[in-house]
């Protein structure tokens, strides 16, 4: 796009208006930067204007640097230099902020000489979500305008600050409602009239606040253990007490210490990945209109799904077999909504309106007119088949019938109806009103428009839909089932559950697999192992003996107060009976325990996850490697700065992964097999990133 289309200048009396029009979010691309530089220089040279109103077309003020340009050769003018030029402009600029002025967008606004925001506008420095920090003067200018605590808060949280708060903090000078162009014009005219004061931000002195800096360091050491960007961001903000140019240089150094790191690359991959997964073969299909939902089952999942739908403004008819079950479901939904109000996610009025859209019933006939039904009952195929047979006779023609099953065969369920084309899987993750992942499981006969409807529903419910094919466990649980065996083999062979958990938490997982098992309930894994017992290949090493003994003792984790750990109130303690169980199982299996380093624990665990992830892509269950990454980032607590298992695999390299698997295979050739895709990559120098780009 040429400069003139991206940035334009018009004159109204003694005022110039500069408009940035760079859809979709007015990102600070090279064309935008070049256009803005030219426009500011042009207005100063022309000498016709006494003030400049700066605004953006479209839905938002500048939403930041153009992330798609990262990693490419940078083109001048570079943002920090450009914003210094804006600040040095002889003709003062006033920014009219609407939508979200984020990152380089807020940095542009604070390099202007005054700022007016629309009431709905929000400002922020979300670079931390990309493993970066504000790199165009944001840490220096926000500190000067609003103080070091606010600059730390925005740089470290990456949150979006509402206009009213930004006004109180001193980041914006006024709040006015109206169209951005009109706001920019009126504000510039006020600058000329002297009724809107202007300031050169760099000339403002930052008040030192060592206590805030130290508190931020302590918080980051605890909450962002091992991450680089937060540490660098604090350094940059602390430098804002130096003379401006020294502080700016310190910020630049801190920024460059983050740019291009694996941490930043991983988080940028996650940012684009969450959007890339919407690129499905059915993208062009017209989704069916969904204005009402039916949910069958008021248990944890059914009530979570209902909550999420109600929060998205969708009426829900909730079906339970008994009044008692129905009351429990309604009570859980009410509690979920009350929690959302407490977390500030919704107003009380919105909560009441949501509850008013809930219709509980014990009669499935109440679903006759809904547009889409989500079955969320017990994970037993027989029960699901019976329900879908009934739904087929009750629901109107064109109604979509979805199952929330987490691993069962959607084709088998669809075969119970005369409308297999209208059947798909919508696999939510618990808690369903909080977790953003939704696996959209496509059956052999699922119609493309029905797949598109699943994705449209995901977006409506503010979830990220990932397309999955049909197999046991789809994408996430299939891979989970594989790599959890590695955790159990490690414990059988000598590692302690707590050591495995700690090693993986140091790698970045929020919780290690044993703590997760205790949280979810060890009985779930127990039932899965029993379900699969008859199909387990004879040559497969059984890793479930220790977990079986825990469940057989009734120790199923948090809900029973004891599992791998003991739970007393908020305390998580060692289970004194665990070592005895482990020793007995090892002795019975004739295992002489050996020690494992934390590094080897992580290597084995991650290699197993990567291997099954590669097979899921090979088998076409996931469309691309990035789809596997997004499933694990959004559904399994995978550390975001690692970008997901297959993005992380590229930092190890296919050759090294193949060598690892071949080494491990000497112990267990059945479990450790080199996926064909990985072998091909190793032989041809490929990687998952190239595969994402279709190379
Ligand atoms: N650069 C390039 N493309 C971007 C973009 C960006 N900054 N932000 C969004 N897009 C694309 C996005 O990929 C999608 O593309 C489309 O715009 C709509 O986005 C020097 C270094 C602004 C709140 O981190 O938070 O400034 O999929 O679906 O839900 O200090 O986008 O349609 O092809 O998300 O309405 C800092 C990131 C950059 C902001 C809008 N800024 N963006 O949300 O739409 S680093 C950010 C967002 C920086 C400086 C530093 C959100 C949004 P497509 P969307 P949305």
């Amino acid at each position: 796009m040429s400069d003139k289309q991206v940035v334009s200048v018009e004159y109204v009396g003694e005022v110039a208006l500069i408009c940035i029009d760079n859809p979709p979010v007015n990102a600070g691309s090279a064309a935008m930067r070049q256009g803005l530089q030219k426009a500011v220089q042009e207005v100063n040279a022309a000498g016709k204007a006494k003030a400049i109103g700066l605004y953006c077309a479209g839905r938002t003020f500048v939403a930041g640097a153009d992330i798609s340009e990262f990693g490419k050769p940078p083109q001048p003018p570079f943002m920090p230099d450009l914003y210094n030029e804006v600040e040095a402009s002889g003709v003062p600029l006033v920014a009219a902020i609407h939508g979200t002025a984020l990152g380089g967008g807020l940095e542009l606004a604070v390099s202007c000489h005054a700022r007016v925001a629309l009431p709905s506008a929000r400002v922020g420095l979300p670079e931390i979500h990309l493993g970066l920090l504000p790199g165009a003067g944001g840490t220096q200018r926000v500190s000067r305008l609003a103080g070091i605590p606010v600059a730390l808060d925005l740089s470290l949280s990456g949150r979006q600050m509402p206009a009213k708060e930004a006004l109180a903090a001193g980041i914006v000078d006024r709040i006015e409602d109206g169209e951005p162009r009109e706001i920019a014009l009126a504000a510039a005219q006020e600058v000329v009239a002297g009724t809107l004061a202007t300031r050169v931000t760099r000339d403002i002195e930052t008040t030192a606040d060592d206590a805030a800096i130290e508190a931020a360091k302590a918080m980051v050491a605890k909450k962002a253990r091992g991450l680089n960007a937060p540490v660098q961001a604090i350094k940059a903000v602390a430098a804002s007490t130096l003379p401006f140019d020294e502080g700016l240089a310190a910020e630049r150094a801190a920024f460059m210490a983050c740019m291009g790191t694996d941490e930043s690359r991983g988080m940028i991959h996650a940012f684009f990945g969450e959007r890339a997964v919407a690129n499905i073969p059915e993208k062009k299909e017209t989704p069916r209109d969904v204005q009402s939902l039916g949910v069958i089952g008021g248990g944890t999942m059914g009530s979570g799904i209902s909550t999420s739908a109600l929060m998205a403004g969708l009426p829900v008819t909730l079906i339970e077999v008994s009044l008692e079950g129905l009351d429990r479901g309604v009570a859980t939904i009410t509690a979920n909504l009350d929690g959302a109000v407490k977390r500030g996610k919704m107003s009380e009025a919105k909560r009441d309106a949501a509850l008013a859209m809930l219709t509980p019933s014990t009669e499935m006939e109440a679903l006759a007119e809904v547009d889409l039904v989500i079955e969320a009952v017990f994970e037993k195929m027989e029960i699901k088949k019976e329900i879908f047979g009934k739904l087929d006779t009750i629901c109107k023609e064109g109604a979509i019938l979805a199952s929330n099953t987490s691993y069962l065969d959607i084709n088998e369920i669809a075969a119970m109806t005369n409308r297999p084309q209208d059947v798909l899987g919508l696999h939510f993750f618990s808690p369903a009103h909080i977790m953003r992942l939704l696996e959209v499981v496509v059956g052999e006969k699922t119609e493309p428009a029905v797949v598109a409807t699943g994705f449209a529903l995901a977006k409506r419910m503010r979830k990220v839909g990932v397309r999955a094919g049909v197999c046991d466990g789809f994408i996430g649980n299939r891979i989970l089932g594989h790599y959890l065996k590695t955790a159990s083999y490690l414990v059988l062979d000598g590692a302690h559950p707590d050591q495995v958990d700690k090693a993986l938490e140091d790698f970045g997982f929020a919780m290690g697999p044993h703590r997760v098992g205790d949280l979810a309930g060890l009985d779930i894994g127990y039932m899965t192992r029993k379900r699969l017992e008859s199909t387990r290949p004879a040559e497969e090493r059984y890793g479930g003996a220790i977990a079986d003994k825990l469940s057989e003792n009734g120790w199923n984790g948090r809900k029973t107060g004891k599992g791998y750990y003991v739970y007393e109130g908020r305390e998580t303690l060692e289970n004194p009976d665990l070592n005895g169980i482990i020793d007995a199982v090892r002795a019975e299996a004739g295992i002489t325990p050996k020690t494992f380093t934390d590094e080897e624990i992580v290597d084995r665990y991650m290699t197993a996850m990567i291997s099954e992830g590669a097979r899921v892509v090979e088998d076409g269950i996931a469309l691309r490697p990035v789809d596997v990454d997004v499933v694990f980032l959004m559904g399994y607590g995978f550390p975001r700065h690692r970008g997901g298992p297959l993005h992380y695999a590229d930092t190890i390299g296919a050759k090294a992964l193949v060598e690892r698997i071949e080494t491990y295979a000497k112990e267990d050739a059945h479990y450790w097999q080199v996926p064909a895709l990985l072998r091909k990559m190793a032989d041809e120098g490929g990687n998952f990133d190239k595969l994402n780009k279709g190379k």
Side-chain angles (χ1 to χ4, degrees), residues 23-29 59-70 79-80 83 99-107 122 124-130 132-138 160 251-252 255 259 268 271-272 274-276 278 283 459 462:
V25 295
N26 289 311
S29 63
R59 59 171 151 151
T60 177
F61 193 76
V62 177
D66 185 335
I67 312 172
S68 63
E69 287 185 353
F70 289 1
M79 249 178 196
Y83 294 171
T100 49
L102 300 175
L106 177 57
E107 292 176 297
R122 297 190 304 281
L125 295 171
E127 290 87 341
I128 204 79
H129 296 320
L130 301 172
L132 299 170
L133 57 109
Q160 294 180 11
E251 178 193 82
R252 191 85 200 138
F255 181 80
M259 201 61 174
I268 289 170
F271 174 82
F272 282 120
E274 287 162 17
R275 292 157 177 82
K283 189 171 183 172
K459 198 167 172 93
R462 298 186 63 73

Side-chain angles (χ1 to χ4, degrees), residues 312-342:
L314 276 167
V316 172
T317 301
L318 174 68
I319 305 294
E320 255 288 353
V321 282
S322 69
L323 268 178
E324 189 211 353
L326 202 55
D327 290 348
R328 235 192 346 266
V330 172
T332 307
I333 292 166
T334 307
N336 290 343
L337 291 171
D338 289 344
V341 171
K342 267 196 209 100

Side-chain angles (χ1 to χ4, degrees), residues 48-125:
K48 288 191 300 187
K50 291 183 180 161
I52 298 170
L54 171 68
Y55 72 99
C56 288
R59 59 171 151 151
T60 177
F61 193 76
V62 177
D66 185 335
I67 312 172
S68 63
E69 287 185 353
F70 289 1
K72 293 174 189 159
Q75 293 182 50
F78 305 128
M79 249 178 196
D81 306 330
L82 171 61
Y83 294 171
N84 284 342
E85 260 192 76
V86 165
E87 191 174 53
S89 166
V91 183
L93 286 96
V94 52
I97 299 173
H98 76 292
T100 49
L102 300 175
L106 177 57
E107 292 176 297
L108 170 57
V110 295
S111 67
C112 291
H113 306 85
R115 287 148 293 281
V116 178
L118 271 70
S120 57
R122 297 190 304 281
V123 300
L125 295 171

